[in-house]
Amino acid sequence: MAGYLTTHVLDTARGCPAQGMKIELFRIDGETRRHLRTLVTNDDGRTDEQILPASEFATGSYELVFHAGAYLDATGTLPESPRFLDVIPLRFGMSEAAHYHVPLLLSPFGYSTYRGS
């Protein structure tokens, strides 16, 4: 089986997928953080393609960066200065060639994540 990475962002405060959120993927190698790609969530809160496709998959440490503040601004969520949640970095490891699904459940004042399927 080939490994790959996906996500799904849900806006738990509004009860809907988080459409239009920018997500960046970085590979972490010691102190080096290398940008791999930038994607935006679709109407279903998912990306139109795998964040890290099987053809580029390698085990190691990665970071997904969710641009929650810009998303919340775009949805008309009452602004704060500064926002409690703005940019959410999630650093995680992928130790085997498998499907890694890293969802984000988001509200203006909290979030959670887990390894999904």
Side-chain angles (χ1 to χ4, degrees):
M1 173 184 198
Y4 61 99
L5 173 64
T6 59
T7 192
H8 190 195
V9 186
L10 297 171
D11 183 330
T12 58
R14 297 174 58 226
C16 63
Q19 175 188 4
M21 182 182 293
K22 181 173 124 179
I23 303 170
E24 295 176 291
L25 176 66
F26 295 85
R27 171 134 176 124
I28 308 299
D29 225 355
E31 296 299 314
T32 304
R33 184 175 177 252
R34 183 171 49 100
H35 181 262
L36 299 179
R37 68 179 29 87
T38 300
L39 300 163
V40 176
T41 56
N42 60 23
D43 293 351
D44 192 35
R46 302 174 188 273
T47 56
D48 288 332
E49 58 192 65
Q50 295 168 350
I51 296 174
L52 186 62
S55 62
E56 299 173 33
F57 183 86
T59 59
S61 296
Y62 291 85
E63 183 176 79
L64 282 171
V65 177
F66 296 86
H67 291 265
Y71 164 78
L72 293 167
D73 289 344
T75 64
T77 301
L78 292 177
E80 307 171 277
S81 185
R83 275 211 179 273
F84 180 70
L85 292 176
D86 185 16
V87 176
I88 300 171
L90 296 179
R91 195 167 281 195
F92 58 96
M94 296 192 290
S95 60
E96 62 181 322
H99 176 196
Y100 286 83
H101 184 68
V102 181
L104 183 74
L105 306 176
L106 173 71
S107 78
F109 301 107
Y111 67 90
S112 66
T113 189
Y114 55 93
R115 181 176 174 185
S117 56

